[in-house]
Amino acid sequence: MGELILIRHGETEWSRNGQHTSHTDLPLTPLGERQARALAPLLADRDIALTLVSPSVRARRTAELAGLAAPRITPELREWDYGGYEGVTTHEIHRTRPDWNLWTDGVTAGPEAHPGETPTAVGERADRILAEVREAAARAGDEDIALVAHSHFLRVLTARYLGLTPAEGTLFQLATGAVSRLGREHGQPVITAWNVTLPESLFPAAVPDTPEHV
């Protein structure tokens, strides 16, 4: 295969405020939509054979605005289930758990439909996605495969791609509307680009406030 392209969705109200967002299906903010459109020039020279996208509105809209054709909805690309910490910021959690760390401690239990996930469980999900990618790569030849999803899940997936533990996803900060690429060098998994965004100062020239066609 070519490279595995990772795309974090554009900004939402909760991502802007630092609130943990898994199953809450928020739309992109106006800035988030512009971030998504700004992905198009960053992807323009890529030959993408397959795009897998999280079922969330924020991810699907990002794929659409980035110009990614015929994305396949893939439920296992959903964000880490934050359980009882859904909508809560890290600052708020630290008021009662000052030493809490998502990557090592996981989350507190949530409602029956969204009980929360451990780092290990998220890592197992990432491993299944990577297995699906490997199967698709056998058919893709030298073309790339793109994943449009969420910060914490993509960070865990990156750790697993590199042979690290899920908790070591903490090493890979990831901004909204960012593109990263994973590849191989001398047969070994490597990061070929990380957390790439079009500077907002270039948005007026490159990204309209309102698309020409709605």
Side-chain angles (χ1 to χ4, degrees):
M1 65 176 284
E3 292 184 316
L4 182 57
I5 300 176
L6 310 181
I7 300 170
R8 185 186 176 191
H9 63 78
E11 180 195 80
T12 68
E13 181 181 352
W14 280 15
S15 69
R16 181 180 63 211
N17 296 335
Q19 294 168 265
H20 288 90
T21 318
S22 54
H23 60 85
T24 304
D25 211 6
L26 298 174
L28 300 178
T29 63
L31 173 59
E33 296 225 344
R34 297 182 74 206
Q35 289 175 330
R37 293 188 191 98
L39 290 166
L42 298 177
L43 301 171
D45 64 345
R46 310 303 304 190
D47 192 3
I48 298 174
L50 173 66
T51 298
L52 306 180
V53 61
S54 160
S56 71
V57 166
R58 58 193 184 275
R60 290 187 285 116
R61 181 63 170 159
T62 296
E64 176 188 358
L65 294 174
L68 294 166
R72 181 192 300 170
I73 305 299
T74 306
E76 288 213 305
L77 279 174
R78 67 190 181 276
E79 181 59 296
W80 191 320
D81 184 342
Y82 299 122
Y85 289 151
E86 182 77 2
V88 183
T89 68
T90 298
H91 177 72
E92 290 169 332
I93 296 168
H94 282 169
R95 290 175 183 170
T96 55
R97 297 182 65 183
D99 297 325
W100 176 79
N101 185 304
L102 172 68
W103 299 97
T104 53
D105 299 328
V107 299
T108 190
E112 183 177 354
H114 300 286
E117 285 181 295
T118 65
T120 298
V122 181
E124 290 170 350
R125 233 181 344 113
D127 288 345
R128 292 193 292 271
I129 289 291
L130 289 172
E132 184 174 352
V133 165
R134 286 192 293 271
E135 291 180 7
R139 302 185 294 273
D142 293 332
E143 296 177 305
D144 300 325
I145 295 173
L147 307 180
V148 185
H150 311 272
S151 175
H152 283 135
F153 180 77
L154 290 176
R155 291 166 68 176
V156 170
L157 182 138
T158 298
R160 297 301 301 138
Y161 179 86
L162 297 172
L164 305 175
T165 66
E168 288 172 293
T170 190
L171 299 172
F172 309 112
Q173 193 268 346
L174 194 56
T176 53
V179 175
S180 303
R181 303 198 312 270
L182 306 178
R184 304 190 79 82
E185 183 179 51
H186 306 305
Q188 299 301 312
V190 296
I191 296 174
T192 54
W194 190 259
N195 210 24
V196 178
T197 60
L198 187 69
E200 195 172 343
S201 62
L202 298 180
F203 279 12
V207 187
D209 287 303
T210 305
E212 295 180 4
H213 303 287
V214 178

